[in-house]
Amino acid sequence: MGRNRSFIEAEVVAQCAEIFRSTGYEGTSIDDLVQATGLHRGSLYKAFGSKRGLFVLALRQSAGPAMPTHDSTDLLLVALMELAPRDPEIRSIAFGILSGVAPRHTPQSLGERLLERAREPRANEATTKDSA
Amino acid sequence: MGRNRSFIEAEVVAQCAEIFRSTGYEGTSIDDLVQATGLHRGSLYKAFGSKRGLFVLALRQSAGPAMPTHDSTDLLLVALMELAPRDPEIRSIAFGILSGVAPRHTPQSLGERLLERAREPRANEATTKDSA
DNA sequence: ATCGGTCAAGAACGATCGGTCAAGAATTCG
DNA sequence: CGAATTCTTGACCGATCGTTCTTGACCGAT
């Protein structure tokens, strides 16, 4: 039970992380997360409290012990660009990830990934509804 | 006169650029720009058409012939992170700036500035966002 | 069968978003 | 001077934002 639940939780957080890293923090709406996870608004809030809380979990989880992937690096970039300057806790988490035991990220590697990400066209997210 | 007008215009664009580079694109509301410029909503839209149009002008203007400053680099970072993946024109402008005649920006210099910016606390603008 | 408690579900909420427009002030022209 | 025209202004719009609350289905214990 508990194990299964936390496993599912981790999966949901991972799905949200994917949305956040792709469309940014401010660019992601709760509806986007609802759609991506299949959960419902109330459930998301019951489980995670707020959009920001969900992002914090996603950021922490994506920075596990493994080597950074493109996805986890993107999420870190989003945190650094959009949240860190105005949110001390997230700034602290982000720089904690950066100063991990091994020098996994460097300014150069971050800059390179930033440029790669900027070049990747994003599927035109529905600003106007034509889902038929 | 035309010259005076365009001078004022450039000043307004510069003020908006400062807001965009500081709080990001999605993080900046029209009201923020209204407050920063002292102009009124209608005037802004009459002169610049849209928030995006204003950002495009700001990005182009900030990437003049001079050496990049922290401010102009920040605006470029915002363009690359928030707009470039979903907006081909802005992506094109941004990469045009990057491939200027002299190698003014490198992945490493971008990454370094990204980290500096993330460390600079931003005056907590009260948008009733983190009261949870 | 009936209660009490739990939880998913999504309708509803106030605030705020980007964008528009009609009415008043200012200016130009006959 | 008065009519015509341009500019200024901020109230207003529908949509969407993040968040909360009511609803009702479900389940074990009585």
Side-chain angles (χ1 to χ4, degrees):
Chain A
M1 296 289 237
R3 260 188 78 207
N4 192 15
R5 170 177 176 80
S6 72
F7 170 75
I8 291 178
E9 236 183 59
E11 177 121 352
V12 167
V13 170
Q15 287 166 333
C16 293
E18 166 60 22
I19 303 296
F20 278 133
R21 71 131 207 107
S22 166
T23 62
Y25 182 77
E26 304 283 359
T28 297
S29 72
I30 303 294
D31 275 336
D32 294 334
L33 301 177
V34 165
Q35 227 177 351
T37 60
L39 266 64
H40 294 254
R41 274 180 132 63
S43 315
L44 270 180
Y45 271 87
K46 174 117 189 169
F48 304 109
S50 72
K51 182 186 180 184
R52 180 184 170 279
L54 198 31
F55 184 87
V56 167
L57 285 181
L59 184 59
R60 287 206 155 106
Q61 174 170 304
S62 88
M67 280 288 294
T69 63
H70 282 180
D71 285 0
S72 71
T73 305
D74 286 357
L75 195 63
L76 182 58
L77 287 171
V78 167
L80 288 168
M81 278 295 295
E82 294 190 48
L83 267 9
R86 66 170 148 104
D87 189 322
E89 186 192 354
I90 289 188
R91 176 166 57 232
S92 166
I93 297 173
F95 281 102
I97 293 173
L98 283 168
S99 62
V101 284
R104 306 187 295 176
H105 294 285
T106 64
Q108 168 147 359
S109 72
L110 288 176
E112 282 167 357
R113 177 59 202 154
L114 172 88
L115 293 174
E116 272 181 40
R117 179 178 179 279
R119 276 206 179 84
E120 291 171 3
R122 186 185 308 151
N124 208 355
E125 66 220 52
T127 51
T128 54
K129 288 287 179 188
D130 51 3
S131 56
Chain B
M1 298 275 282
R3 260 187 79 204
N4 191 16
R5 171 178 174 76
S6 72
F7 171 75
I8 291 178
E9 237 184 57
E11 178 121 353
V12 168
V13 170
Q15 288 166 331
C16 293
E18 166 60 23
I19 303 296
F20 278 133
R21 72 130 209 108
S22 166
T23 62
Y25 182 78
E26 304 283 359
T28 297
S29 72
I30 303 293
D31 276 335
D32 293 335
L33 301 176
V34 165
Q35 224 177 351
T37 60
L39 291 179
H40 293 252
R41 252 181 144 63
S43 314
L44 268 181
Y45 271 88
K46 173 121 189 160
F48 304 109
S50 72
K51 182 187 180 184
R52 180 184 171 281
L54 198 32
F55 184 87
V56 167
L57 286 180
L59 183 60
R60 287 206 155 106
Q61 175 170 304
S62 88
M67 280 290 293
T69 62
H70 281 182
D71 286 0
S72 71
T73 304
D74 286 357
L75 195 62
L76 181 58
L77 287 171
V78 167
L80 289 168
M81 278 296 294
E82 294 190 49
L83 266 10
R86 67 170 148 105
D87 190 321
E89 186 192 354
I90 289 189
R91 177 167 56 231
S92 166
I93 297 172
F95 280 104
I97 294 172
L98 282 169
S99 62
V101 285
R104 305 186 297 177
H105 294 285
T106 63
Q108 169 148 0
S109 74
L110 287 176
E112 281 168 356
R113 178 58 203 156
L114 171 87
L115 293 174
E116 272 181 41
R117 180 178 178 278
R119 276 206 181 81
E120 290 170 4
R122 184 186 311 152
N124 205 357
E125 69 236 39
T127 48
T128 68
K129 275 202 170 165
D130 18 62
S131 53

